[in-house]
Amino acid sequence: MDFLKGEISKLKTKTAASTGSNSWKNRSERERERQEQYDREQKEIERKRIEKQAQKFEAINEYEKTYLETAEKRKELVETAQRKKEEEEEKKKLEAEMDSHEGNPDEETAETSKKSQADGADITLTHFDTLKEAEKSFKTYSLSQKSKHCYAWAKSMMHEWKTEVKLQEDQVDQHEYQKIKQRYKQAQTHMKPLLQLLITENMNSAILDSIYAIAVYCQFREYLEAHSKYLELAIGNAPWPMGVTMVGIHERSGRSKIYSSQVAHILNDESQRKYLQCWKRLMSVSQSRFPAAPSKSVA
């Protein structure tokens, strides 16, 4: 027996020396080593994947940067070409006008002068020294003077509105800018009947008095007063509901006190409603372009 035990011990020693020490590790140790090796491989794969993704994003960013630079340059070239074209056309137009005046200094006839006046080319905005002086003109100015003042103020505010629209082109996104531009164009269309009435001096006197007062107050940056005048014009100041004078078979005791100036004119027809709403927008443009103290401004 002792001989057999000695031989078995020799064989075990020889086998361990030839196969290494791993053969005698238990299963949990071998599983832990395998798991550690697997984790190292997965981390390496993840690192390579992240590096590849970072390179991809960097390439995309570089492409976008190059594309934006190219688009900006293209836009600048188009704008420069358009500007040069407009300048050349303006220059040619001025040269043609100068040549025309040099050749025929007295060519303008009475009909041309009348047409120019009809287009409002010679109408300028009246400037008052004080608000008190301006308020006196509410009663002293004639229908023609008020019409011309309102026309000039409306054209001035439309020009300011156009300037404001252009300034917002680079401040808002394209979709919002198109909405702002469309609102301005719509106001231009709705204002045409009013401007025509002012030019031909056929405006209703009650409406003209109100819009003239609004224009004067906006001129002096008295926007609260202008807003009050607009509300008086839009909804009236009668003690009864708008436009209602007879609601039963008996006449009201205060019916005689309801005059035409106390009934809302803005509801008379669709055209009036549109251009008076545009007048309100011009008040907002005036307050935006020429701000006043908070106590005089409409929130």
Side-chain angles (χ1 to χ4, degrees), residues 119-120 150-160 191 195 282:
D119 291 339
C150 290
Y151 179 88
W153 184 80
K155 296 293 285 186
S156 173
M157 288 301 103
M158 290 299 291
H159 177 73
E160 293 293 337
M191 283 291 290
L195 296 178
L282 294 185

Side-chain angles (χ1 to χ4, degrees), residues 77-185:
L77 290 173
V78 171
E79 289 178 351
T80 304
Q82 184 68 20
R83 197 182 307 115
K84 287 183 179 179
K85 184 178 178 181
E86 290 176 356
E87 289 175 356
E88 290 177 358
E89 290 178 353
E90 187 68 22
K91 186 177 179 181
K92 289 180 181 179
K93 185 178 178 181
L94 290 173
E95 289 176 354
E97 288 180 357
M98 291 176 64
D99 294 341
S100 175
H101 286 301
E102 288 177 0
N104 301 289
D106 300 324
E107 185 180 7
E108 186 176 4
T109 61
E111 184 179 355
T112 307
S113 177
K114 185 177 180 182
K115 182 179 178 182
S116 175
Q117 186 176 3
D119 291 339
D122 59 341
I123 297 177
T124 56
L125 190 64
T126 307
H127 294 279
F128 301 99
D129 294 332
T130 61
L131 179 60
K132 191 173 181 180
E133 179 188 349
E135 288 177 335
K136 287 181 180 179
S137 68
F138 294 172
K139 296 181 179 179
T140 59
Y141 264 31
S142 64
L143 178 69
S144 175
Q145 288 174 310
K146 290 180 180 179
S147 297
K148 288 180 179 179
H149 185 92
C150 290
Y151 179 88
W153 184 80
K155 296 293 285 186
S156 173
M157 288 301 103
M158 290 299 291
H159 177 73
E160 293 293 337
W161 193 353
K162 184 178 181 181
T163 303
E164 188 172 349
V165 169
K166 288 183 178 180
L167 290 175
Q168 291 181 346
E169 183 176 4
D170 298 329
Q171 298 176 1
V172 298
D173 56 37
Q174 191 65 20
H175 179 67
E176 186 66 23
Y177 175 70
Q178 289 299 328
K179 289 169 65 177
I180 295 171
K181 192 175 180 181
Q182 183 63 30
R183 197 177 301 123
Y184 169 74
K185 289 183 177 180

Side-chain angles (χ1 to χ4, degrees), residues 33 35-45:
E33 290 179 356
Q35 185 65 35
E36 289 175 355
Q37 183 179 359
Y38 175 79
D39 292 341
R40 286 194 297 271
E41 292 175 353
Q42 291 300 314
K43 285 181 181 179
E44 182 67 19
I45 293 172

